[in-house]
Amino acid sequence: MRRLAPFLVLAFLLAGCGGKETVSPTAENVVGTVAAEKQQAVGDAKAGATLFTAQGCGGCHVFKPAGTQGNVGPDLDKLATYAKTANQGSLADFTHESIANPSAYIEKGYPNAMPNFGSTLSDKQIADLVAYLTKTQG
């Protein structure tokens, strides 16, 4: 019997390890909430064109669809290239962030001079600008 004892102990240990179902522990109480992704408003490119002019964006930016030749800020005809270089999401996400929080990414060779429109424009207005600026980009 003494010789069988180690084998019996091993058999009992292994008996609990061969189950087909894996059980994961679950929380009994959940504290807080899971942050949901913020949905961007759907923009209207025509309204964005009007807003681009009204906000004076062309005074700082080149943008052929608007006929502007500003040279303080980046050339907005190259927005898709800047978004790819920045590697911070889609073109629309990059453009939105660049308007709402312009210091998040500064294009090389340009000053950090753009006003923070995230505090002065509504989400809908920013979405309109995004729609306008990205509709001709590739």
Side-chain angles (χ1 to χ4, degrees), residues 2 29 81 98 120 124 129:
R2 285 185 165 184
N29 296 315
T81 302
S98 295
T120 59
K124 176 67 171 129
L129 280 170

Coordinates of all heavy atoms in Angstrom, one line a residue, residues 2 29 81 98 120 124 129:
R2 N 2.0 1.2 0.7 CA 2.9 2.3 0.7 C 3.4 2.7 -0.7 O 3.6 3.8 -1.0 CB 4.1 2.1 1.7 CG 3.7 2.1 3.1 CD 5.0 2.0 3.9 NE 4.7 2.4 5.2 CZ 5.6 2.5 6.2 NH1 6.8 2.2 5.9 NH2 5.3 2.9 7.4
N29 N -19.0 42.6 -8.2 CA -19.4 44.0 -8.2 C -18.6 44.8 -9.2 O -17.4 44.6 -9.3 CB -19.2 44.6 -6.8 CG -20.1 44.0 -5.8 OD1 -21.3 43.8 -6.0 ND2 -19.5 43.7 -4.6
T81 N -1.4 63.5 -46.5 CA 0.1 63.1 -46.3 C 0.4 63.4 -44.9 O 1.1 62.6 -44.2 CB 1.0 64.0 -47.2 OG1 0.6 63.7 -48.6 CG2 2.4 63.6 -47.0
S98 N -6.8 67.8 -35.2 CA -6.0 69.0 -35.5 C -6.8 70.3 -35.4 O -6.2 71.3 -35.1 CB -5.5 68.9 -37.0 OG -4.6 67.8 -37.1
T120 N -14.1 76.7 -29.0 CA -14.9 77.8 -29.5 C -15.9 77.3 -30.6 O -16.9 77.9 -30.8 CB -14.1 78.9 -30.2 OG1 -13.3 78.4 -31.2 CG2 -13.2 79.6 -29.1
K124 N -20.5 69.8 -34.1 CA -21.1 69.8 -35.4 C -20.3 70.7 -36.4 O -20.0 70.4 -37.5 CB -22.5 70.3 -35.4 CG -23.2 70.4 -36.7 CD -23.4 69.1 -37.4 CE -24.3 69.3 -38.6 NZ -23.7 68.7 -39.8
L129 N -16.2 71.2 -40.8 CA -14.9 71.5 -41.3 C -14.2 70.3 -41.8 O -13.5 70.3 -42.8 CB -14.1 72.3 -40.3 CG -14.4 73.7 -40.1 CD1 -13.7 74.3 -38.9 CD2 -13.9 74.5 -41.4

